[in-house]
Amino acid sequence: MSWSTIDVLPGAPGCGPPVRDADGAWSVTRHADVTAVLTHPDCVVPTAPDGPPGTLAWLRSTVSRFSDPRRHPARRAVGVAALAGLDPDELRTAAARLAGNEIDRAGGRLDVMARLARRVPVVVLADRLGLADPTAAVPAVVAVAAAYHPGATPAAVARADRAVGTLLELSRPAPPEVTANRLGLLVQACDATAGLIGAAARHVLPGPEVTASRLDPPLPAGDAADHVRSVPTAGLLAEVLRLDPPVRATRRVAAAALRLDGRKLAAGSPLLLRFDAANRDPAVFAEPDRFVPGRPGRALTFGAGPRGCPGERHALALAIGVVDALRGRCVRTGTELRHEPHPTLRVPARLEVIFG
C-alpha cells in the first residue's frame, strides 16, 4: 500500500549534469551536485549591500542569511542561541492550540493561508522571541518577507522599510546585530513555513475528489481515510517537503574556479541550486514522484552544510502543529489553487477549507 504520485512542479527541470545558460549561470539539479555545492567552502551566498539603520537593506545586510563567510558564523550563532531555548514540542503544541482556536472562530470555512499558515507560526515564534505584541508583528513580518529576496518592487521595499521599524519597536533592547538576527528568524520562518503548511493542506487533507484516490491501489473511502489518519504528520510533511517544496531553489556564487560533476566553473559563476529537481533524483529516491511517507533519503529543502537552516526542527514543529489541527477537522474545497509569483519560493495565495 502506498500513496499516489505527485506531478513534477511546473517549470521544474529534470535531474542531470550542471547546465550553463546564455548568461553564464549554472543550473544544478542532481542531489549529489546540490549537496556538493551547499557544502563547498568556495560556493558562497550572494551578500546583501549595506543600508541605513532600521531599513530593509540594513536588516538584509546584518542577518546571517546574506552575510559573507567572514561574518556568517558569529551572526548565525545569534540565531542558534535564540532557538536553543525553544522547545520544538512546546512550539508544536502552541501552534496546534492557536490553529484550533482560529478554526473555532472561523464559522465553517477559512482560508488556510491568511488565517493559519501566515499567522500562527509567526505569532507563536514572536512570542517566544520576546516581541512585545506578537499579533501586531504578523503584518510587519509578512511585509518584510514579501521584499526580503532580490527583485522586490520599490513599493514593496518601502512597505518593508516601515515594517522593519515596527518590528524594532516591538523588540526588546539588544545590540543591533542581535536584534536583526532574531528578526531574521521570524522573516525566514514566514513564507517558507506558510508554503509548507499550504502544500501539506493541499496534498494531505481530503478534498472534493474521492479520498481513496490518494492511495495506490485504491481503498474504499472510509478505509482510505483511516489509513491516511494513521500516518504521523511529521512523516507526511517530510514527503511534502520533498515533492512540493516551499523553497524551490537557492543561489550561490563560485568564489574560485572549481569543478562540479566534470564541468569547469569559472570564478564568479552564479549557481542556481534546484531543490525541486534534486528532491526527485532517482539516484537517491526510488520511484521519485511517488508520495511515500517514511521513505529513506533526505530532501534538501532546508539546505545542508554550514548554511543549512538553523531552525529546521522549530519550523517543522510549528507546521506540524497547524497541520495536526487541520487534519482532525477540515476538508479542502474545490477552489482553484494559485501560487504567489516568486522566482524561488512556492507559496499558495489562497487555500480554502471547510469543517463542521
Side-chain angles (χ1 to χ4, degrees):
M1 175 63 60
S2 65
W3 292 44
S4 60
T5 61
I6 292 180
D7 292 339
V8 174
L9 303 182
C15 282
V19 176
R20 184 171 57 183
D21 65 20
D23 296 324
W26 291 86
S27 178
V28 185
T29 56
R30 287 176 175 162
H31 193 283
D33 292 340
V34 171
T35 302
V37 172
L38 290 172
T39 55
H40 198 295
D42 289 332
C43 295
V44 300
V45 171
T47 57
D50 292 336
T55 65
L56 173 66
W58 164 81
L59 181 67
R60 294 182 74 253
S61 68
T62 310
V63 296
S64 64
R65 170 71 176 80
F66 301 109
S67 293
D68 62 43
R70 179 174 53 87
R71 294 177 173 174
H72 174 259
R75 291 176 170 179
R76 179 184 173 91
V78 173
V80 170
L83 293 170
L86 306 185
D87 178 5
D89 288 338
E90 192 276 330
L91 295 177
R92 174 183 53 78
T93 300
R97 181 172 57 249
L98 182 55
N101 292 341
E102 284 292 315
I103 293 170
D104 288 340
R105 289 194 291 264
R109 177 186 293 259
L110 63 72
D111 172 15
V112 169
M113 303 311 298
R115 294 289 293 271
L116 302 181
R118 289 191 182 279
R119 181 175 182 276
V120 170
V122 174
V123 169
V124 172
L125 191 56
D127 178 69
R128 275 62 179 176
L129 291 176
L131 271 71
D133 186 342
T135 301
V138 173
V141 171
V142 170
V144 174
Y148 201 55
H149 296 274
T153 65
V157 172
R159 288 192 294 271
D161 284 340
R162 294 191 293 271
V164 170
T166 298
L167 292 172
L168 290 173
E169 291 174 359
L170 294 173
S171 299
R172 58 193 180 197
E177 191 165 283
V178 171
T179 299
N181 281 280
R182 286 177 180 162
L183 295 179
L185 296 174
L186 286 172
V187 175
Q188 290 185 212
C190 179
D191 280 349
T193 308
L196 174 57
I197 292 168
R202 177 190 183 191
H203 296 297
V204 171
L205 296 184
E209 72 278 12
V210 179
T211 304
S213 68
R214 305 298 294 170
L215 301 174
D216 182 18
L219 287 174
D223 292 343
D226 289 341
H227 177 77
V228 171
R229 281 194 293 267
S230 71
V231 180
T233 300
L236 299 175
L237 291 192
E239 276 293 83
V240 171
L241 276 169
R242 188 178 69 84
L243 290 166
D244 196 352
V247 181
R248 298 185 63 169
T250 192
R251 301 180 190 278
R252 295 290 188 269
V253 175
L258 55 90
R259 296 183 70 88
L260 181 66
D261 198 15
R263 269 64 173 172
K264 294 181 180 179
L265 278 61
S269 296
L271 308 170
L272 183 64
L273 312 184
R274 298 299 303 250
F275 297 147
D276 51 3
N279 286 347
R280 294 177 185 249
D281 189 337
V284 178
F285 305 102
E287 297 184 283
D289 298 335
R290 190 172 293 280
F291 193 103
V292 184
R295 70 155 71 233
R298 181 182 181 276
L300 292 173
T301 310
F302 278 106
R307 295 273 185 164
C309 176
E312 177 177 352
R313 293 189 306 126
H314 306 81
L316 284 173
L318 291 164
I320 289 168
V322 176
V323 176
D324 276 344
L326 288 167
R327 290 182 72 191
R329 302 176 60 179
C330 299
V331 176
R332 287 182 294 109
T333 70
T335 305
E336 181 183 0
L337 184 66
R338 296 182 300 103
H339 289 81
E340 300 282 358
H342 197 283
T344 58
L345 300 181
R346 181 170 164 85
V347 183
R350 183 178 180 83
L351 195 154
E352 285 194 342
V353 296
I354 56 176
F355 47 92

